Amino acid sequence: MLMTGSGRPSPVHIAPVVAVSDLERSRKFYEGQLGLDGAATPGGWTVSGDYGTVINLLPEIPDAGSAGWPVATFRVDDVSATVRELRSRDVPFLGPDDIPFSLDGDGVSTDQAGLRVAWMRDPDGNILTIYSLSS
């Protein structure tokens, strides 16, 4: 049990599990194109960012990429600069025909609260978001 009346009994690390059909192809994307660090884990592969954050890649899943919503999100300081850099690495982003939000020239949507978001897909078609908060 993670929760008790007085809180958690120990520290808890939470991370998304992203289903992938071809681990090597996914590693090229998550490590090579996104620049995350990778390591083998029991039953799969983990890619890590900063501050102890990770995504667990679960390999050889036939229906990988079938979710119609974002399966993981990345918070960055400057979403527009990050999108431009990732596009230069051939990361595919969703455009105005793919999502029901207004996008600026970088393909970034900004809501009334200042949340700035861009959507991309991994090689299986899993939707990922990159976001930042306006200051």
Side-chain angles (χ1 to χ4, degrees):
M1 177 150 110
L2 295 177
M3 301 297 288
T4 66
S6 61
R8 289 180 292 279
S10 66
V12 176
H13 181 90
I14 301 170
V17 175
V18 175
V20 300
S21 61
D22 181 327
L23 183 58
E24 290 309 311
R25 181 180 68 172
S26 294
R27 285 187 59 201
K28 288 178 185 175
F29 175 78
Y30 286 93
E31 294 173 40
Q33 289 177 274
L34 298 186
L36 302 174
D37 297 319
T41 58
W45 197 263
T46 296
V47 290
S48 58
D50 299 306
Y51 311 110
T53 59
V54 300
I55 295 175
N56 297 303
L57 302 179
L58 185 62
E60 311 308 322
I61 304 300
D63 61 347
S66 62
W69 57 87
V71 297
T73 188
F74 303 83
R75 183 174 177 179
V76 297
D77 291 334
D78 184 338
V79 70
S80 293
T82 302
V83 167
R84 287 190 298 269
E85 173 62 27
L86 292 177
R87 276 206 172 106
S88 76
R89 298 178 190 184
D90 297 323
V91 172
F93 281 85
L94 280 68
D97 294 336
D98 304 307
I99 52 177
F101 304 106
S102 296
L103 303 176
D104 66 15
D106 289 321
V108 176
S109 174
T110 303
D111 72 7
Q112 294 176 343
L115 179 68
R116 297 177 40 76
V117 182
W119 294 260
M120 62 183 165
R121 291 191 186 271
D122 77 359
D124 283 295
N126 289 306
I127 301 169
L128 309 167
T129 63
I130 298 177
Y131 79 97
S132 63
L133 302 173
S134 297
S135 45

